[in-house]
């Protein structure tokens, strides 16, 4: 019988979860509420790289249980996913998939019935390395807003307990890093035991760790209220009607956290059993065997296949007769525009010199113009239709346009102007000469002397 493996890679521990016999990976067959539905194991990170430890744990479980056919690994963000993927590629692991830890946690909470009746929820994930608050829609799995901070974390709460115990005088400050790490682990154990008891007393080589529930809550109150303020701000920025808040992560089982969030947010606060393994069990539910897909074609091959081979040296724009004809028509239109512009300029000059009527009536005053006494009318013959079939584009354009009208141009000539006189000058060749009036002298000539 096949089985699946769910993995969560946290800063403090790598957790793996497998459904027990009788459960499978298919939705509806795993019973999360049943006692012992999942076999969950945790491996502390310690001094090793967390990605390397996760790869070792996955390899050990797969070697011990050959019936595992699918593995799902919950990751925190894209950088976290890239690091995990690189380590698994180095180990040549292929039959796995990466899922966001928010989606994995949401899958388990909805599958177990914790979120029944809630459409939009906020996931408050307080773990060893930081706090993440995410607003997500339970139906579409759409994330509206998410934010993460390391100002409050499980490690920070452990350090508060450590400093308080050292300040009380019952615990001597460890002399080296190894002793400090051992004391931090003892303070972490005290924090976890205070979730179910009113006081703890744990002996160590440096002294006795003694802490009550009341002292512990007073110690972490400011940090928890700061996290509640952050959760409220995230919900407001998401602009979504959040109906409940679900607490996950190792520190979610601290009773003070749920009480403060209820007071600050005013919505139901859900605390599932074993909140530190929610993402791990959700990943096991999401695990599916990876199907073999054909390798996609390379970009070069796909690009070459999409373009037909060109054996002509001409560019594509001029490779067809229709394109050449369109290009010639554009040139004719451009030349016609230039000619019309030149006529407008000539007409304007003629108007300014006083020959507007002659210019506008197409008066020809050139020396080589044909002079007749009667108007001559010339009609341009129509263009003969060729037998060559037009291109598809030209046929479409001609079907949309009306028939070209036949043009009749009438050229009327008048008698030639008189020969230029002594007071006429020619300013522009081809235009009538300008008559310069005779002006009286500015100063009269001196009178001849008498006698």
């Amino acid at each position: 019988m096949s089985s699946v493996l769910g993995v969560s890679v946290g800063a403090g521990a790598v957790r793996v979860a497998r459904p027990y016999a009788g459960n499978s990976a298919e939705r509806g067959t795993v019973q999360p509420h049943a006692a012992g539905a999942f076999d969950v194991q945790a491996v502390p990170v310690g001094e090793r790289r967390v990605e390397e430890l996760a790869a070792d744990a996955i390899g050990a479980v797969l070697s011990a249980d050959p019936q595992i056919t699918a593995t799902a690994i919950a990751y925190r963000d894209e950088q976290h996913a890239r690091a995990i993927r690189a380590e698994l590629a180095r180990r040549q692991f292929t039959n796995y998939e990466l899922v966001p830890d928010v989606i994995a946690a949401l899958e388990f909470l909805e599958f177990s019935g914790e979120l029944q009746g809630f459409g939009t929820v906020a996931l408050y994930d307080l773990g060893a390395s930081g706090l993440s608050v995410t607003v997500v829609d339970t139906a579409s799995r759409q994330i509206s807003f998410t934010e993460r901070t390391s100002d409050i974390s499980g490690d920070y709460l452990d350090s508060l307990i450590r400093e308080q115990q050292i300040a009380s005088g019952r615990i001597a400050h460890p002399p080296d890093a190894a002793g400090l790490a051992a004391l931090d682990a003892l303070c972490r154990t005290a924090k976890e035991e205070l979730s179910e008891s009113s006081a703890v007393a744990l002996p160590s080589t440096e002294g006795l760790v003694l802490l009550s529930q009341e002292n512990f809550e007073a110690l972490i109150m400011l940090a928890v209220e700061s996290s509640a303020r952050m959760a409220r701000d995230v919900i407001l920025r998401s602009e979504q009607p959040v109906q409940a808040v679900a607490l996950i992560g190792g520190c979610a089982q601290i009773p003070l956290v749920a009480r403060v969030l209820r007071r600050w947010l005013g919505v139901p606060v859900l605390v599932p059993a074993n909140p530190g393994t929610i993402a791990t069990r959700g990943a096991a539910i999401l695990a599916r065997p990876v199907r073999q897909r054909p390798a996609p074609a390379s970009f070069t091959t796909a690009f070459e296949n999409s373009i037909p081979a060109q054996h002509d040296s001409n560019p594509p724009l001029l490779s067809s007769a229709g394109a050449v004809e369109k290009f010639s028509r554009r040139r004719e239109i451009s030349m016609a525009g230039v000619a019309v512009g030149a006529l407008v300029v000539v007409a304007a000059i003629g108007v300014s010199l006083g020959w507007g009527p002659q210019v506008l009536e197409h008066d020809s005053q050139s020396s080589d113009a044909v002079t007749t006494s009667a108007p001559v009318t010339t009609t341009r013959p129509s263009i003969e239709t060729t037998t060559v079939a037009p291109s598809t584009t030209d046929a479409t354009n001609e079907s949309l346009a009306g028939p070209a009208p036949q043009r009749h141009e009438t050229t009327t000539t008048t008698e030639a102007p008189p020969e230029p006189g002594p007071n006429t000058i020619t300013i522009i060749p081809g235009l009538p000469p300008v008559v310069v009036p005779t002006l009286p002298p500015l100063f009269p000539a001196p009178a001849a002397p008498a006698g």
Side-chain angles (χ1 to χ4, degrees):
M1 183 177 179
S2 63
S3 182
V4 295
L5 177 66
V7 183
S8 64
V9 184
V14 174
R15 295 179 175 85
V16 295
R18 288 178 295 172
Y20 277 122
N23 294 326
S24 67
E26 297 299 328
R27 174 181 282 272
T29 58
V30 178
Q31 303 297 327
H33 285 307
F38 290 90
D39 177 17
V40 182
Q41 300 178 4
V43 181
V45 175
E47 300 297 330
R48 301 184 60 187
R49 290 175 51 247
V50 63
E51 297 83 10
E52 182 181 352
L53 180 62
D56 289 343
I58 295 173
V61 174
L62 294 179
S63 299
D65 189 356
Q67 295 182 348
I68 295 178
T69 60
T71 302
I73 306 170
Y75 66 90
R76 183 175 59 252
D77 50 30
E78 291 300 327
Q79 182 179 1
H80 193 205
R82 285 194 298 269
I84 296 174
R85 190 181 294 110
E87 184 63 30
L88 294 179
R90 194 176 67 85
R91 307 290 183 93
Q92 298 182 354
F93 290 160
T94 57
N95 190 21
Y96 71 92
E97 60 180 327
L98 296 175
V99 296
D101 54 0
V102 172
I103 302 302
L106 187 65
E107 181 73 15
F108 181 84
L109 292 175
E110 187 181 25
F111 201 39
S112 63
E114 298 282 351
L115 300 180
Q116 185 176 3
F118 300 112
T120 303
V121 299
L123 296 182
Y124 176 100
D125 185 359
L126 183 56
S129 60
L131 168 66
S132 298
V133 180
T134 305
V135 177
V136 60
D137 185 87
T138 59
S140 63
R141 300 293 196 270
Q142 182 68 33
I143 296 177
S144 301
F145 198 88
T146 183
E147 186 174 334
R148 180 174 177 82
T149 181
S150 58
D151 293 342
I152 177 174
S153 63
D155 293 343
Y156 175 69
L157 300 183
D158 298 341
S159 67
L160 292 179
I161 298 176
R162 180 194 64 208
E163 296 301 324
Q164 189 267 348
Q165 293 295 308
I166 294 176
S168 66
R170 290 189 299 269
I171 296 291
H173 196 285
D176 52 15
L180 191 62
L183 180 58
D184 287 342
L186 194 64
C187 293
R188 186 177 305 111
T189 302
K191 177 189 65 180
E192 294 172 354
E193 291 185 3
L194 284 174
S195 300
E196 300 177 355
S197 61
S198 58
V200 293
L202 301 176
S204 68
T205 57
E206 307 296 335
L208 180 66
V209 175
L210 182 62
L211 188 63
S212 65
Q213 181 70 253
E214 183 179 359
N215 292 337
F216 175 63
E217 292 183 352
L219 190 63
I220 66 173
M221 177 62 73
L222 291 179
V224 174
E225 288 184 342
S226 176
S227 70
R229 185 181 300 106
M230 172 185 166
R232 183 191 62 185
D233 294 343
V234 169
I235 293 174
L236 292 177
R237 285 194 292 271
S238 70
E239 299 180 355
Q240 299 297 322
V242 173
Q243 301 170 350
V245 177
L247 306 188
I248 60 177
C251 298
Q253 56 190 354
I254 299 176
L256 178 66
V257 175
R259 294 202 307 268
V260 171
L261 288 176
R262 291 190 184 98
R263 185 172 69 248
W264 276 72
L265 304 179
V267 295
V269 177
L270 311 175
V271 185
N274 299 321
T277 63
I278 295 295
T280 313
R281 290 179 283 175
I285 297 175
L286 291 173
R288 298 290 184 274
V290 178
R291 297 177 177 86
Q292 298 295 331
R293 300 180 178 90
S298 62
F299 177 78
T300 304
T301 304
F303 184 76
E304 290 175 351
N305 293 336
S306 64
I307 300 178
Q310 298 289 341
H311 301 287
D312 194 355
S313 59
N314 294 329
L317 180 63
L318 304 178
S319 60
S320 62
V324 174
E325 184 177 355
K326 292 179 183 179
F327 181 75
S328 301
R329 290 182 180 179
R330 286 197 295 269
R331 288 180 58 87
E332 293 174 1
I333 294 174
S334 301
M335 295 299 296
V338 173
V340 172
L343 291 177
V344 171
V345 173
V346 172
I349 296 174
V351 171
S352 65
L353 296 177
W355 299 298
Q358 291 84 353
V359 174
L360 296 178
E361 292 176 0
H362 306 282
D363 224 357
S364 176
Q365 301 296 338
S366 60
S367 58
D368 56 350
V370 178
T371 59
T372 59
S373 59
V376 179
T377 303
T378 60
T379 304
R380 182 175 300 174
S382 59
I383 302 175
E384 296 181 359
T385 304
T386 60
T387 58
V388 179
S391 62
T392 304
T393 305
D394 296 338
T396 304
N397 294 336
E398 291 175 2
S399 64
L400 295 177
Q406 296 183 356
R407 301 177 182 175
H408 300 278
E409 296 184 0
T410 303
T411 305
T412 304
T413 59
T414 59
E415 296 181 356
E419 293 295 333
N423 294 336
T424 60
I425 61 174
T426 300
I427 298 178
I428 300 177
L431 294 180
V434 179
V435 179
V436 179
T438 303
L439 298 178
L442 183 60
F443 299 99

